[in-house]
Amino acid sequence: MPTIGYWIKNLDDDQFLAPQEVAGKLAPDIAKRVVAYLCAGKLYAQYRGLSWCRFMHGCAKAFMGSSELTDGYWIWPEGLVHYVEVHRVALPEEFLADALNKLVTRNKTIELDSDIAFWVNWCSQNQDPVFRKQLLAARQTPPQEVQDALIAEINALQLKYGLSEQLCLCDGCRERALQSQVVCVKHFLGDERWERGWRSGFHSLLYDF
Ligand SMILES: [Zn+2]
Ligand SMILES: [Zn+2]
């Protein structure tokens, strides 16, 4: 039974996609039908940890669930319904055919590829080159002197301006703006400058992509 719907776990995970790489690819009417299908799954396994939405937009953790569901053939994490409903992620054609009740002759190799191998293979074929490039860049740690220079510059800027009570005006940024400036210290320095001087964390990579 093939398992689908697992996403990247950390910066060094090459096995799974970030859902950002395949977001917005299901038509809304199709997504709606797939959501109904996913919700009708039967409990397959219950786990302890709760999953979190990789889009970092503050989805309640509990909402993402901690169990796996099945239709008797496919297995998926409970949280997959959120990715389809809210982020309309693409899913393997073979699964969609079942979910949308299309009659297809199932590719025999899927049955042999039990468990996660089918999904891992699908992930490898659906990577977004721009995201992959950013992932590789995020893994690079710049030399210590580059980081030190950036920290010195940040400190100097914060000392010069101070932090205001306002949030940074850049899209989606949650940092406080510098006093008398409209942006945070990161955006004051410029994204590119920041990324080069800093190994961008996993969460900021997902947040920004
Ligand atoms: Zn979400
Ligand atoms: Zn900012």
Side-chain angles (χ1 to χ4, degrees), residues 125-162:
Q125 288 169 5
N126 285 274
Q127 294 182 345
D128 179 307
V130 178
F131 179 85
R132 291 289 134 180
K133 218 175 133 193
Q134 290 185 15
L135 181 64
L136 288 179
R139 287 175 185 164
Q140 308 291 324
T141 309
Q144 193 60 48
E145 58 271 25
V146 175
Q147 295 181 61
D148 289 348
L150 190 64
I151 289 169
E153 202 172 336
I154 290 166
N155 288 339
L157 280 170
Q158 285 182 339
L159 206 66
K160 182 177 171 193
Y161 293 104

Side-chain angles (χ1 to χ4, degrees), residues 68-201:
E68 282 186 332
L69 305 177
T70 186
D71 59 3
Y73 179 74
W74 301 97
I75 298 167
W76 61 89
E78 193 183 359
L80 182 59
V81 66
H82 170 81
Y83 289 105
V84 175
E85 189 168 32
V86 177
H87 307 293
R88 293 193 287 110
V89 291
L91 289 173
E93 269 173 48
E94 293 87 343
F95 170 76
L96 291 177
D98 285 352
L100 301 170
N101 289 317
K102 289 200 180 124
L103 282 178
V104 284
T105 334
R106 194 173 277 134
N107 185 342
K108 280 274 180 263
T109 59
I110 300 177
E111 333 243 345
L112 298 174
D113 270 353
S114 66
D115 306 328
I116 204 71
F118 171 75
W119 177 250
V120 170
N121 184 47
W122 184 82
C123 283
S124 73
Q125 288 169 5
N126 285 274
Q127 294 182 345
D128 179 307
V130 178
F131 179 85
R132 291 289 134 180
K133 218 175 133 193
Q134 290 185 15
L135 181 64
L136 288 179
R139 287 175 185 164
Q140 308 291 324
T141 309
Q144 193 60 48
E145 58 271 25
V146 175
Q147 295 181 61
D148 289 348
L150 190 64
I151 289 169
E153 202 172 336
I154 290 166
N155 288 339
L157 280 170
Q158 285 182 339
L159 206 66
K160 182 177 171 193
Y161 293 104
L163 284 180
S164 80
E165 293 304 314
Q166 312 292 322
L167 287 185
C168 171
L169 281 190
C170 286
D171 222 17
C173 185
R174 305 277 166 89
E175 296 298 318
R176 281 162 66 189
L178 293 169
Q179 195 84 251
S180 80
Q181 301 297 315
V182 291
V183 292
C184 67
V185 67
K186 168 184 167 174
H187 287 113
F188 188 90
L189 286 167
D191 269 344
E192 203 196 322
R193 176 76 221 292
W194 185 271
E195 295 304 333
R196 267 189 289 127
W198 214 270
R199 182 187 206 248
S200 87

